[in-house]
Amino acid sequence: EAGVAQSPRYKIIEKRQSVAFWCNPISGHATLYWYQQILGQGPKLLIQFQNNGVVDDSQLPKDRFSAERLKGVDSTLKIQPAKLEDSAVYLCASSPLRAQRPEGYTFGSGTRLTVV
Amino acid sequence: DAKTTQPTSMDCAEGRAANLPCNHSTISGNEYVYWYRQIHSQGPQYIIHGLKNNETNEMASLIITEDRKSSTLILPHATLRDTAVYYCIVRGYNQGGKLIFGQGTELSVKP
C-alpha cells in the first residue's frame, strides 16, 4: 500500500511570498489532515477534511492560510503572504472514514518550509 | 482530551530496554493511551495503544498503572533506529478527528 505522498519535500521562500503544498492521501481514505510542526514542538492540527468538506479549521490562520480538497482526494495548503513564523514542517495525514482511530492514521514525511 | 506529561529527553544504551514514562492523571474512564514516535525527517508513526490492560505488539509493550494515571512504553531491546521523539496521547476511542500532540520525549539510543 502506497503511503501519504507530499511535495515538495523542502521549500525556501522570502517573507511576503506565497507558497503551496500538495498532499495525496492513501487511496480510499476519506479523512485528510494538515498539521504544522514548528521546530521542537509536536504537530498541531491546522485543518481536517472529510471527503471534500471541512470538519475542523479552528486552528487555521485564515487571513493567510487556505486549503482545499477538490473531489475529495488530493489536497493543497497555501500560505499567502508568508511570515517568518510560518517556518515549520507541514505534515499531511489521512485515515479511513469509518475507522477514525489513531492507529489508522498515516502521516506523510512532510514539507519543510523555511521563510527568510 | 486529558493532558499528558513526559520527560523532555532520555538516553538508552543499545540493546537495553528503553522505558518511557507518561503521566496522565486526569484521564477519564473511556480514554485510551496512545503512543506514537517520530523519527527525524519523517511523520509520526503509530506504535501501540491501550485502555487499562497491558498491551504488547511487535514494536513495544505498554504498561498502564492500575489507577490509569500513568503509563510506560517499553522498547525491550533498543536499537539505534529507535532514536526518535516519542509522543504519549490520551483520547477517546473511535472518536475520530484530530490528535493533540505534546512535546514528547526525545529518546537517544547510544552504541
Side-chain angles (χ1 to χ4, degrees):
Chain A
E1 176 181 75
V4 174
Q6 290 189 246
S7 67
R9 193 79 173 86
Y10 304 93
K11 190 73 177 180
I12 301 174
I13 62 172
E14 294 183 350
K15 59 184 179 183
R16 292 187 289 274
Q17 285 187 323
S18 62
V19 65
F21 314 125
W22 174 81
C23 174
N24 184 10
I26 289 176
S27 177
H29 279 193
T31 308
L32 184 147
Y33 312 82
W34 282 102
Y35 284 79
Q36 179 193 56
Q37 185 172 24
I38 293 172
L39 185 64
Q41 300 181 16
K44 181 186 80 171
L45 180 75
L46 292 176
I47 189 167
Q48 175 188 347
F49 291 94
Q50 187 164 298
N51 295 311
N52 60 350
V54 175
V55 174
D56 182 353
D57 64 356
S58 58
Q59 298 297 307
L60 188 72
K62 299 180 186 62
D63 58 334
R64 297 183 301 105
F65 286 65
S66 65
E68 60 182 9
R69 191 184 183 198
L70 299 177
K71 301 181 182 178
V73 182
D74 294 5
S75 176
T76 56
L77 176 69
K78 297 179 182 178
I79 307 175
Q80 182 179 12
K83 293 185 176 182
L84 296 177
E85 59 260 36
D86 298 332
S87 294
V89 174
Y90 291 85
L91 294 161
C92 179
S94 69
S95 68
L97 176 61
R98 290 195 177 277
Q100 290 189 47
R101 302 167 184 170
E103 64 267 34
Y105 291 30
T106 302
F107 283 83
S109 294
T111 295
R112 180 177 296 277
L113 173 68
T114 302
V115 182
V116 297
Chain B
D1 296 335
K3 180 178 172 59
T4 62
T5 304
Q6 299 178 252
T8 302
S9 63
M10 294 180 63
D11 289 340
C12 177
E14 187 179 20
R16 304 298 294 270
N19 298 290
L20 292 91
C22 179
N23 287 321
H24 32 79
S25 58
T26 60
I27 192 171
S28 62
N30 64 348
E31 289 183 318
Y32 283 66
V33 180
Y34 288 87
W35 283 84
Y36 275 76
R37 76 177 181 184
Q38 187 172 23
I39 295 171
H40 182 63
S41 297
Q42 296 184 22
Q45 174 193 24
Y46 165 80
I47 301 173
I48 198 168
H49 73 281
L51 181 63
K52 53 184 177 182
N53 297 319
N54 298 338
E55 302 287 345
T56 295
N57 63 19
E58 65 278 5
M59 292 182 69
S61 294
L62 174 60
I63 307 298
I64 302 174
T65 58
E66 192 169 343
D67 63 7
R68 302 207 325 121
K69 293 184 177 181
S70 65
S71 61
T72 301
L73 178 74
I74 301 173
L75 308 177
H77 305 287
T79 70
L80 299 179
R81 290 177 295 179
D82 292 322
T83 292
V85 178
Y86 288 77
Y87 297 99
C88 170
I89 299 171
V90 172
R91 54 162 283 162
Y93 192 64
N94 213 11
Q95 192 175 18
K98 62 187 177 185
L99 294 174
I100 300 176
F101 291 85
Q103 288 195 304
T105 296
E106 186 169 7
L107 176 69
S108 296
V109 180
K110 300 182 183 300

